[in-house]
Amino acid sequence: MAGKIRNYFAGGNTARGFYSLYESCLSDLNRLYILKGGPGTGKSSLMKEIGKYWVDKGYDIEYLHCSSDNDSIDGVKILELKVGIVDGTAPHIIEPKAPGAVEEYINLGEAWDSQKLTSQKDIIIKLSNEISEAFNTAYRTFGEALKIHDDWEKIYIESMDFEKANELTKKLIRKFFGRMSLNKPADVKHRFLGAATPKGAVDFVPNLTEDVSKRYFIKGRPGSGKSTMLKKLASEAESRGFDVEVYHCGFDPHSLDMVIVRELGIAIFDSTAPHEYFPSRDGDEIIDMYGTIIAAGTDEIFAEKIEIYSKQYKDKMKEAISYLAKAKSLHDELEEIYIQAMDFNVVNQFKDKIQGEIHALVKVKA
C-alpha cells in the first residue's frame, strides 16, 4: 500500500520579498541532502523520483513545492526515516547545523561541461540579471498591493468589536482544548499552505486537511481579526503541549492562514479568496467573523471605498504575478542552456548514491 503525500510550500514570493520557512520545515530531520547546481541540473526531477520510490514502498512523504515554478519541487521529506533532500540554491539557502553529521552537500554542477557554459557566459549573465530584476519588481508590486490591502483592512478594523472578537477566540479555545494538556513539549512547524506563483495563487488546503476530522472555515473581510485569532489558537495549542502546524499567509507572511492540531483532529483556516472553500464533509463548520464581530452595515456604508480598494488590490496582484511569469519564462531559457551542458548519467549516479544511503538507514532502523 502506497504511503501518503502531503504538499505545502516552505518559501514564498511575498509582499516582503522571498520569505523562507525552510529552517522550521527541515528541523526534524536526522539526515539532509542539500543539492547544489544551477538551473536545469535535474534537482527537482531527482527529488521527485526519490519521493515516488519511497511513497510506492509505503512511506509517507512531504513535498516542498516551488513557488517560482509550478512544475518543480524544492524539497522532499521521508517522514519515518527522518531523511530529506532539498534544493539549496538561491533564494532558499540552507544553513547547515552539523555539516557531515546531518547535512551533506551534493554538487550536481559536477555533471556539467564547463566549456559549454563558458561559451554562453554573456547570455547566462544577461538572463540571470533579468530574472533577478523581474523578481524584485514582483516583490515591489506585491508590497504596493499590501499597502492598498492595509487601507482596505482599516475600514473593518475601525468597525470591529474587539471584545466580541476576544470572546469568540476564548470560546474556540474552550471548545478545542477544554482542560486538556499533554505532558511534552510541542513540536511547532511553520509552513505556507499556498503561494503566489507564475500561474497565480495556488494552495494545498484540500490535501493538508483531507485526514483531519473537524474543519473550521473562517469567513470574514480583510482586517476582521482572522489572523489574530489563529495566532492565539496556535499559541494556546503550543502552551498545552500539542504539536501545531502553523501556516503563514503567502501574501503577507506576518499573518496566518491556517492552524492544524492533528492530535485533536482539528484544522481551522481563513477560507476567503484566494483560498476560498466551503463545507463539503460531515463535521465541517463555518465561523463567520463578519456576522459576529463587525458592525452591521459596514459593507454598505463603505461600499464605494471598498470597491476602489478591491479593484486596486486585484490589479496590483495581477501585475505582480505577471512579473513572476516573466521570471519563469526567462528561467526556462536559462535552464535550456544548462540542460544542453549536462551529463545526466552523472546526476543519476548521485541519485543512486543517495538512494543507497537511504536504504542503509532503513536496514539500521529495522
Side-chain angles (χ1 to χ4, degrees):
M1 183 177 171
K4 292 181 180 177
I5 299 173
R6 195 164 284 158
N7 301 290
Y8 55 86
F9 294 89
N13 300 306
T14 81
R16 303 181 191 279
F18 181 82
Y19 201 91
S20 173
L21 295 172
Y22 280 86
E23 186 174 347
S24 177
C25 292
L26 303 173
S27 63
D28 56 348
L29 299 177
N30 292 334
R31 189 68 171 154
L32 176 63
Y33 297 91
I34 302 173
L35 305 182
K36 293 291 188 177
T41 52
K43 298 185 294 293
S44 178
S45 296
L46 182 153
M47 291 186 285
K48 283 180 178 178
E49 287 177 29
I50 290 178
K52 183 179 186 308
Y53 176 88
W54 288 101
V55 83
D56 286 347
K57 282 192 166 293
Y59 288 84
D60 293 346
I61 67 168
E62 293 178 350
Y63 282 134
L64 284 60
H65 286 257
C66 177
S67 57
S68 300
D69 183 344
N70 295 76
D71 298 320
S72 292
I73 61 170
D74 282 338
V76 61
K77 294 170 63 177
I78 308 166
L79 301 183
E80 185 183 339
L81 302 178
K82 293 188 178 295
V83 174
I85 311 165
V86 67
D87 180 344
T89 56
H92 29 77
I93 305 300
I94 312 299
E95 292 295 336
K97 290 190 170 51
V102 175
E103 300 91 358
E104 181 177 345
Y105 286 101
I106 303 290
N107 182 16
L108 299 185
E110 292 181 22
W112 63 42
D113 183 333
S114 294
Q115 287 187 331
K116 287 184 179 179
L117 295 176
T118 301
S119 67
Q120 301 275 356
K121 181 186 74 172
D122 290 344
I123 186 66
I124 288 172
I125 292 172
K126 179 176 180 291
L127 285 170
S128 297
N129 288 337
E130 289 176 350
I131 291 167
S132 179
E133 185 180 342
F135 275 119
N136 287 335
T137 306
Y139 299 148
R140 188 165 59 249
T141 309
F142 280 130
E144 292 167 0
L146 180 58
K147 289 177 183 175
I148 295 165
H149 199 270
D150 286 344
D151 289 337
W152 189 0
E153 284 188 341
K154 285 175 188 174
I155 293 172
Y156 294 99
I157 291 170
E158 290 168 2
S159 303
M160 186 191 299
D161 185 327
F162 288 94
E163 205 170 296
K164 284 184 179 178
N166 289 332
E167 187 49 47
L168 175 60
T169 302
K170 289 175 184 176
K171 180 182 174 183
L172 288 174
I173 287 172
R174 290 193 297 270
K175 185 174 184 177
F176 290 177
F177 306 109
R179 296 182 178 180
M180 290 185 293
S181 291
L182 300 180
N183 188 26
K184 66 175 181 63
D187 179 20
V188 182
K189 287 286 181 288
H190 292 268
R191 304 164 171 170
F192 292 103
L193 63 81
T197 78
K199 293 183 180 179
V202 170
D203 74 77
F204 293 113
V205 169
N207 169 262
L208 291 166
T209 64
E210 66 184 358
D211 55 357
V212 174
S213 56
K214 184 74 178 177
R215 302 189 302 176
Y216 294 87
F217 298 64
I218 308 173
K219 301 292 182 180
R221 310 296 191 267
S224 57
K226 301 185 294 293
S227 175
T228 300
M229 184 170 73
L230 287 170
K231 287 176 181 177
K232 289 179 180 178
L233 290 169
S235 178
E236 186 70 24
E238 182 181 1
S239 71
R240 291 171 181 250
F242 290 98
D243 297 343
V244 195
E245 295 168 26
V246 180
Y247 292 88
H248 293 246
C249 173
F251 170 56
D252 179 5
H254 292 178
S255 293
L256 300 188
D257 275 345
M258 179 164 70
V259 171
I260 298 180
V261 186
R262 295 192 186 274
E263 288 162 319
L264 295 175
I266 290 172
I268 178 166
F269 61 97
D270 180 343
S271 185
T272 57
H275 33 79
E276 184 174 25
Y277 292 92
F278 295 91
S280 59
R281 301 184 340 211
D282 289 344
D284 285 351
E285 187 174 323
I286 287 177
I287 298 171
D288 185 1
M289 304 290 279
Y290 182 77
T292 308
I293 63 173
I294 301 294
T298 300
D299 283 347
E300 292 75 17
I301 294 168
F302 296 97
E304 190 175 332
K305 268 188 175 182
I306 290 167
E307 186 177 351
I308 291 169
Y309 289 144
S310 176
K311 184 180 186 310
Q312 288 177 340
Y313 170 72
K314 287 174 182 175
D315 287 347
K316 278 295 175 186
M317 292 297 285
K318 187 176 179 181
E319 183 185 348
I321 293 293
S322 74
Y323 289 113
L324 293 182
K326 181 180 179 181
K328 170 65 169 63
S329 177
L330 292 165
H331 194 269
D332 288 346
E333 291 182 46
L334 188 59
E335 276 193 337
E336 195 55 41
I337 294 171
Y338 278 84
I339 288 169
Q340 298 302 319
M342 288 293 293
D343 180 350
F344 286 100
N345 289 322
V346 176
V347 176
N348 285 332
Q349 289 171 17
F350 279 121
K351 183 184 73 176
D352 292 342
K353 174 184 181 295
I354 294 171
Q355 284 283 53
E357 293 185 11
I358 297 175
H359 273 287
L361 287 173
V362 173
K363 289 176 183 176
V364 168
K365 192 175 179 63

